[in-house]
Amino acid sequence: MPEIIEVRAPVSAELDVVFLHGLDGDARKTWAGASPSSFWPEWLAEDFARVAVWSVGYEAWSSGWRGRAMPMQDRAINLMATLQNRGIGERPLCFVTHSMGGLLAKEILLHAAEGRTGFAAFAAAARGVVFLGTPHTGSGLAAVVKALGLISRSTAAVKDLKRNNAHLRHLNDRYRDWADESGIRNLVFFETYPTKGVRVVDEGSANPGLPRVRPIPVDADHVGICKPADRDSLVYGQISRFIDGILAEIEVPPPRHAAWKLPLSGRVFVGRAAELDRLEKTVKAANRVAVVAVHGLGGVGKSTLAARFAESRSADYSAVWWVTADSAAAIDDGLAELAVALSPEAAGLPWEQRAEQAVGWLAGHTGWLLILDNLTDLAHARGLLERVRTGTILITSRRGTGWRDIGTVSLDVLEPDEAVELLGRTVRAEWPDAEPAGGGALCAELGWLPLAVEQAGAYLAQNRMTPARYLELLAGSPAKMFAWTAEAEDAERAVARVWHVTLDRLADTPLAAKLLRRLAWHAPERIPRSLLEGDGEEPELSEALGRLAAYSMITLDAEAIDVHRLVQAVTRTPDPADPYRHPGDIDHAREATADALARALDPVDPRLPGHWPVFRTVLPHGRALLDHTDRDTGSLCHLANSLSLYVLGQGDPAAAIAFANRAVQGGERLFGVDHPITLRARNSSASAYQAAGDVRRAITLFEAALADCERVLGSPHPDTLSFRNNLAAACHAAGDLRRAISLFDETLEGRERVLGKEHPDTLVSRNNLAMAYEMAGDTERAIPLHEATLADRERVLGSDHPETLLYRNNLAYLLWSTGDSERAVTLFEATLKDRERVLGPDHPNTLVSRGNLAGACESAGDLVRAIELQERTLADRERVLGPDHPDTLSSWNNLAGAYESSGDLTRAIEVYERTLAARERVFGHDHQDTLNSRNDLAYVRGVSGDLPLSIRMYEEAWSDAERALGPDHRLTKRIKENLETAIRLRDRS
């Protein structure tokens, strides 16, 4: 009986490719050479994800000594039945045939096309046939058989293949007519070498005479024609193109569930028919993008309704993704997770880049559903809504107003009979024999609130309890908790009733309530279990978490904990009458959370990429804690300041300002304006404003902090010297080089006197002073000072210390800026090599070295190398730092400059414009980096011949620079000089 080898058959395949061998063939050996890896149907399976590949074996012996062979017409029907049993013929179909296999394929298709034996689907499904050495009018195979001495025992198959066989000629005429009518594709090959001295199938017999089909000659004999040596061979390449053409004509449905996240999928669902109908109508009424908000009381079932809508209509969407949207950061986190689901390689990217990648995917695809669950502020999703113009966005929120142009569906509590049904089904899902009599009274007491009913049902099932007993427990709660539940006006308090009873049940595990209070101060998802290690001993800690999970209060896995945000909100709301929410206990939980988060950041450095995962883990929980309390502690101030430094290094100065200012406010309130904790936070705040481009404010803040340091600690104190150094750096950035040099010089003198000439901070001051001299054009002072500082660094710290490598980079930069490009290139190359070895190829400082080397190569005239280095640096920075990081945007600007130097002004303008748009979006119109991009773009516009546009751009940039940076800033002066030059050139022409 026939054998079918399933080479690869994914359920999602859109085309079946079926291999049919010829006389004396085999399902595997016919299509394989000497090596095991040469079975080339497997190559097709690997190269075409949309294809299912099959190889058919059947008895087709040339000699009766070897076996039997049924007549060709019978074999065709036999094979159709066999293929049909495997589901082949139900989707588009292509045959790849050798020798007699091609004749069989024609028999199969003509039998099907003529409606015989119930196999018509094969003709409708057929899209193409590949003929490899097929004898359409017979072959010289009989001569080969005779040469082998087997003619006396030849089979029916050999007799069918005699040259000029009448049946074959008739078969070919019928196929030619049907192929022309049906439009099926055909690809024909013939051998050019003899087999056993005989051309088995010559060009004449191999040619079926099909219009617009020309047979392709192959350097092979009849056996070798179906054994391509590799993927680059003539036969494999042509067949691949042939299949590509077929696939291009197949109408492809949208991909099914490119990503899927539906946390509430499969839950018990009752009622809501009218709401689902309104929701569907609102979605269908939208144009390209459908945005719908489901709003109502907390716990009313908005999330459950959204999940039901997504689950019941999942076939309509290519992707379904659930995002917790209770803050802007949470939305970014959910989008970052979507990016990883769509492309697992994105897991190695910074979270900002992952979120951006997900938004790009949504903007470029249709047919998806994105659920933004518990959106608290429409502004948090504004950027996403503005960029995405396709797909469906379903929002759930407690907010009932402010949706403007967004369609809405209002959701109220369940009808009484629906609530009772929900309770009963929830109980019986875990306790099949239960008959929860009295469920109506319990649901009424719970205000028919779905979340409360579900929790009550889970509790009844877990503890094998009746509704009446449950009501008795509710009756023992404080009186004021009952005053409003019948009216169901406050969802959190109604839910709290249920959770109070649950915690009563856990009274023998007091640690459970303590942990719940701790968890209430985190973000709701992925709370690391390690953050709770100080709250109890093992195994009691794990057992308490396990019991909370058993009562549906939390979701638990080996690494992290999720808590419903309503549980958190209620749990962190003080109530003197509730033993689980006593104000003192809640305060203690909040302070313990701040201590744990701050402690997690104690051993890590925001400047080191290896420590970034710790910061990424803590960041959402630190944000949540700071958002939910205005009562500061020392730990909270430390946490906010640490997060400020981290997000600043990640290129988010706005978030850094918010964190730093929170630390400043807390420090001033707790310790006073001039306490060291407060002063450190003030330093972070000033640095963040400087990074955001508000250098004037940064200078003002640094000046005030320095004055307080001098007054409290004295001028020689190391902290005072650090503040003076930072003020000098801000003046340097503002272009006030005279003041910067004076402050750097004063700081260096103080550090040499207090700390010693070889102290690391002293060497930092010498480096900064040298850089200021270089910026002021005083290279005679700058170079010797750099060289001496580098020598001291190497002697004190060693040649491979990161600080030593930093100073070597700075010296190379100085040489480059003074025009010594050759020496600069050599030093940059050595520094880059050492940084790659010591820090790794992806460390931000390594990327700085590569970018600097590219700039020096550009100055030295090696433009090919410069462009290659700039492109590589840009790609690495986008991957490591994210697309909007300041260093990444600098790489874009530097690449544009390299294109400009090479004379490719078209590409230079394109990249400059892209960089300018990104900098305006990230930094604002007046930021120093943005103004620099505007200057560069104006220059290249002038060089390209558009002086009027160049002058207008210079005038606007100069006006903004004078206002934002001041008339004496070096960038303001440079823009003015470029404007004057452009005007002179215009007037001359």
Side-chain angles (χ1 to χ4, degrees):
M1 61 181 295
E3 170 196 15
I4 297 184
I5 297 176
E6 180 183 309
V7 181
R8 178 177 179 271
V11 174
S12 60
E14 298 152 18
L15 175 69
D16 285 308
V17 176
V18 177
F19 283 76
L20 291 177
H21 64 73
L23 202 65
D24 292 333
D26 178 82
R28 178 171 291 274
K29 294 178 181 178
T30 295
W31 313 104
S35 69
S37 62
S38 62
F39 181 55
W40 63 277
E42 291 179 343
W43 305 349
L44 285 178
E46 293 168 0
D47 294 347
F48 291 91
R50 296 166 57 192
V51 167
V53 181
W54 314 81
S55 184
V56 178
Y58 57 96
E59 290 186 336
W61 303 114
S62 59
S63 166
W65 295 107
R66 302 181 62 191
R68 296 170 297 177
M70 68 174 64
M72 197 157 19
Q73 298 94 322
D74 294 341
R75 178 59 72 189
I77 296 173
N78 172 267
L79 287 181
M80 274 194 289
T82 303
L83 293 171
Q84 192 178 61
N85 288 345
R86 300 297 293 268
I88 298 169
E90 297 174 2
R91 58 189 169 202
L93 171 65
C94 173
F95 287 108
V96 178
T97 69
H98 175 236
S99 191
M100 191 183 77
L103 303 178
L104 272 175
K106 292 196 295 184
E107 289 277 13
I108 288 171
L109 295 176
L110 290 173
H111 272 294
E114 293 165 2
R116 299 181 188 176
T117 60
F119 296 113
F122 281 89
R127 297 293 187 274
V129 182
V130 177
F131 297 104
L132 288 156
T134 295
H136 296 283
T137 58
S139 76
L141 184 60
V144 175
V145 173
K146 183 177 180 180
L148 295 174
L150 302 173
I151 193 67
S152 63
R153 297 294 302 275
S154 60
T155 64
V158 172
K159 295 171 185 175
D160 284 339
L161 296 178
K162 288 182 180 179
R163 195 177 297 278
N164 296 317
N165 179 286
H167 173 72
L168 294 186
R169 290 199 306 272
H170 181 56
L171 176 68
N172 196 55
D173 290 342
R174 290 161 55 217
Y175 181 77
R176 188 163 50 226
D177 293 342
W178 177 76
D180 188 50
E181 179 184 341
S182 67
I184 189 172
R185 291 170 171 257
N186 293 272
L187 181 62
V188 179
F189 299 91
F190 68 92
E191 68 243 32
T192 58
Y193 296 166
T195 304
K196 301 292 184 180
V198 177
R199 285 280 295 280
V200 177
V201 181
D202 58 24
E203 180 179 2
S205 182
N207 186 355
L210 295 166
R212 300 174 297 281
V213 177
R214 183 166 183 171
I216 300 172
V218 180
D219 291 315
D221 62 14
H222 191 66
V223 175
I225 194 172
C226 56
K227 302 180 188 296
D230 51 44
R231 283 178 165 89
D232 295 328
S233 68
L234 170 68
V235 169
Y236 187 80
Q238 287 293 309
I239 292 176
S240 294
R241 289 170 59 87
F242 185 73
I243 293 174
D244 270 329
I246 293 174
L247 289 171
E249 293 178 351
I250 296 175
E251 184 177 349
V252 182
R256 308 314 300 169
H257 303 147
W260 176 272
K261 181 183 180 184
L262 200 58
L264 303 183
S265 175
R267 288 199 175 183
V268 175
F269 185 86
V270 300
R272 304 298 199 194
E275 290 88 346
L276 282 170
D277 183 61
R278 289 204 306 272
L279 181 54
E280 184 167 10
K281 287 180 179 177
T282 307
V283 168
K284 288 183 176 179
N287 294 322
R288 292 185 64 200
V289 61
V291 183
V292 185
V294 178
H295 64 83
L297 292 171
V300 80
K302 304 178 296 294
S303 301
T304 304
L305 182 73
R308 179 67 171 185
F309 176 86
E311 190 174 24
S312 62
R313 289 152 181 82
S314 61
D316 298 336
Y317 295 105
S318 60
V320 175
W321 196 256
W322 189 282
V323 172
T324 298
D326 56 359
S327 68
I331 293 174
D332 285 341
D333 289 342
L335 292 172
E337 188 181 359
L338 169 60
V340 175
L342 292 167
S343 176
E345 303 82 53
L349 300 176
W351 67 271
E352 299 92 343
Q353 187 172 346
R354 296 200 300 272
E356 177 66 23
Q357 183 171 313
V359 174
W361 188 92
L362 294 171
H365 292 76
T366 60
W368 46 260
L369 172 62
L370 181 69
I371 300 167
L372 299 180
D373 186 41
N374 195 38
L375 185 67
T376 55
D377 188 339
L378 186 58
H380 293 162
R382 183 76 65 192
L384 174 65
L385 297 177
E386 289 174 351
R387 291 185 59 187
V388 172
R389 298 298 180 188
T390 60
T392 299
I393 298 177
L394 178 55
I395 297 169
T396 70
S397 178
R398 298 184 191 183
R399 296 181 55 160
T401 59
W403 298 107
R404 293 186 286 279
D405 297 330
I406 295 175
T408 61
V409 174
S410 178
L411 203 60
D412 203 348
V413 296
L414 289 170
E415 293 297 326
D417 58 337
E418 293 174 343
V420 172
E421 181 185 357
L422 175 61
L423 179 70
R425 290 176 58 184
T426 302
V427 171
R428 283 189 289 272
E430 295 295 330
W431 187 9
D433 300 331
E435 291 294 339
L442 174 56
C443 290
E445 185 67 16
L446 296 174
W448 304 291
L449 194 69
L451 181 62
V453 172
E454 289 176 349
Q455 289 282 1
Y459 190 89
L460 295 180
Q462 174 76 24
N463 297 284
R464 300 302 193 260
M465 184 181 291
T466 65
R469 174 58 180 155
Y470 197 89
L471 282 170
E472 291 175 4
L473 295 174
L474 283 177
S477 295
K480 71 177 187 176
M481 294 295 289
F482 287 90
W484 46 262
T485 48
E487 300 175 0
E489 292 179 351
D490 189 326
E492 288 190 0
R493 296 174 76 186
V495 170
R497 295 281 299 272
V498 179
W499 296 327
H500 181 94
V501 174
T502 302
L503 291 175
D504 272 346
R505 187 68 178 180
L506 296 172
D508 59 339
T509 310
L511 183 56
K514 177 183 177 182
L515 292 176
L516 194 62
R517 288 191 292 269
R518 280 277 281 106
L519 294 169
W521 293 102
H522 295 76
E525 295 180 348
R526 306 307 299 166
I527 305 169
R529 295 177 66 157
S530 59
L531 292 176
L532 302 176
E533 288 176 355
D535 291 273
E537 300 293 332
E538 292 291 1
E540 289 80 6
L541 181 62
S542 294
E543 291 173 357
L545 290 172
R547 294 205 70 196
L548 284 170
Y551 284 88
S552 305
M553 300 298 286
I554 65 173
T555 301
L556 187 65
D557 64 29
E559 301 295 332
I561 306 158
D562 293 351
V563 188
H564 196 286
R565 67 188 63 84
L566 292 178
V567 177
Q568 291 180 304
V570 173
T571 303
R572 64 175 176 261
T573 301
D575 184 349
D578 189 335
Y580 307 112
R581 296 188 290 136
H582 191 276
D585 292 335
I586 290 177
D587 289 345
H588 178 77
R590 184 189 63 250
E591 292 170 6
T593 302
D595 291 343
L597 292 171
R599 192 164 52 246
L601 298 182
D602 277 340
V604 292
D605 187 333
R607 297 168 297 180
L608 301 179
H611 292 176
W612 290 351
V614 178
F615 282 97
R616 283 198 293 266
T617 298
V618 170
L619 180 61
H621 305 294
R623 273 197 172 114
L625 175 60
L626 291 163
D627 285 345
H628 293 310
T629 183
D630 57 2
R631 299 179 64 178
D632 296 308
T633 64
S635 292
L636 205 64
C637 294
H638 172 59
L639 172 66
N641 192 60
S642 297
L643 292 177
S644 173
L645 296 174
Y646 168 67
V647 297
L648 182 62
Q650 297 295 304
D652 190 353
I657 289 170
F659 281 129
N661 285 349
R662 177 64 185 273
V664 171
Q665 295 163 9
E668 289 178 345
R669 189 160 53 241
L670 290 170
F671 310 112
V673 70
D674 46 20
H675 189 278
I677 290 178
T678 309
L679 290 173
R680 281 194 292 272
R682 291 168 64 186
N683 178 71
S684 298
S685 176
S687 297
Y689 280 115
Q690 181 178 334
D694 195 347
V695 183
R696 292 180 178 177
R697 180 181 292 192
I699 289 174
T700 300
L701 292 172
F702 279 130
E703 286 173 338
L706 175 59
D708 288 337
C709 265
E710 287 180 326
R711 175 174 51 80
V712 175
L713 303 176
S715 295
H717 193 279
D719 286 354
T720 305
L721 297 173
S722 293
F723 274 85
R724 187 176 294 118
N725 177 78
N726 293 343
L727 173 60
C731 293
H732 188 180
D736 189 351
L737 296 176
R738 180 177 299 177
R739 187 181 182 197
I741 289 172
S742 174
L743 287 166
F744 278 137
D745 197 19
E746 184 181 353
T747 305
L748 174 59
E749 180 183 350
R751 281 177 166 171
E752 286 181 336
R753 183 175 64 254
V754 174
L755 304 175
K757 292 187 176 183
E758 295 184 349
H759 190 278
D761 288 353
T762 304
L763 298 180
V764 167
S765 284
R766 286 165 62 185
N767 173 77
N768 292 344
L769 179 58
M771 296 296 289
Y773 280 141
E774 179 270 327
M775 186 62 69
D778 189 350
T779 56
E780 291 184 0
R781 289 188 182 182
I783 292 177
L785 191 55
H786 261 307
E787 291 174 334
T789 304
L790 175 58
D792 287 342
R793 271 293 190 192
E794 289 180 332
R795 178 169 47 80
V796 174
L797 299 177
S799 58
D800 283 346
H801 192 280
E803 293 293 329
T804 304
L805 298 177
L806 172 65
Y807 286 14
R808 191 180 302 149
N809 179 81
N810 291 349
L811 176 57
Y813 187 90
L814 177 57
L815 295 171
W816 173 28
S817 66
T818 59
D820 192 352
S821 298
E822 182 177 348
R823 190 178 169 198
V825 167
T826 301
L827 194 52
F828 275 137
E829 287 175 333
T831 306
L832 174 59
K833 183 178 179 181
D834 288 340
R835 276 181 162 170
E836 286 179 333
R837 175 174 51 81
V838 174
L839 303 176
D842 288 342
H843 192 282
N845 288 351
T846 305
L847 301 180
V848 168
S849 282
R850 190 179 302 129
N852 289 344
L853 175 58
C857 289
E858 180 182 340
S859 298
D862 190 351
L863 296 175
V864 173
R865 188 184 184 197
I867 290 173
E868 185 275 328
L869 285 168
Q870 293 288 16
E871 289 175 338
R872 182 182 170 193
T873 304
L874 171 60
D876 287 344
R877 279 177 165 166
E878 285 191 319
R879 176 174 53 80
V880 174
L881 303 176
D884 290 341
H885 192 280
D887 288 356
T888 305
L889 299 180
S890 293
S891 277
W892 275 107
N893 206 70
N894 294 341
L895 178 59
Y899 288 145
E900 177 190 332
S901 297
S902 70
D904 190 348
L905 298 183
T906 300
R907 290 182 77 184
I909 290 172
E910 178 185 341
V911 177
Y912 274 135
E913 287 179 337
R914 184 197 185 285
T915 308
L916 174 58
R919 281 178 163 171
E920 286 183 327
R921 175 173 51 80
V922 174
F923 301 132
H925 195 63
D926 296 339
H927 190 277
Q928 182 173 324
D929 287 355
T930 307
L931 291 168
N932 190 62
S933 283
R934 293 166 65 185
N935 176 71
D936 291 340
L937 182 57
Y939 177 82
V940 76
R941 283 292 187 187
V943 171
S944 67
D946 195 345
L947 277 174
L949 175 59
S950 174
I951 290 171
R952 287 199 304 273
M953 294 177 69
Y954 277 135
E955 288 173 340
E956 293 173 1
W958 179 38
S959 173
D960 290 339
E962 276 200 319
R963 174 174 47 78
L965 305 178
D968 295 328
H969 193 280
R970 63 182 181 276
L971 179 56
T972 307
K973 293 179 179 179
R974 186 163 75 247
I975 296 172
K976 181 182 178 183
E977 291 170 359
N978 290 343
L979 171 61
E980 293 169 346
T981 300
I983 291 173
R984 285 197 300 271
L985 290 173
R986 180 198 63 189
D987 294 343
R988 249 186 248 159
S989 58

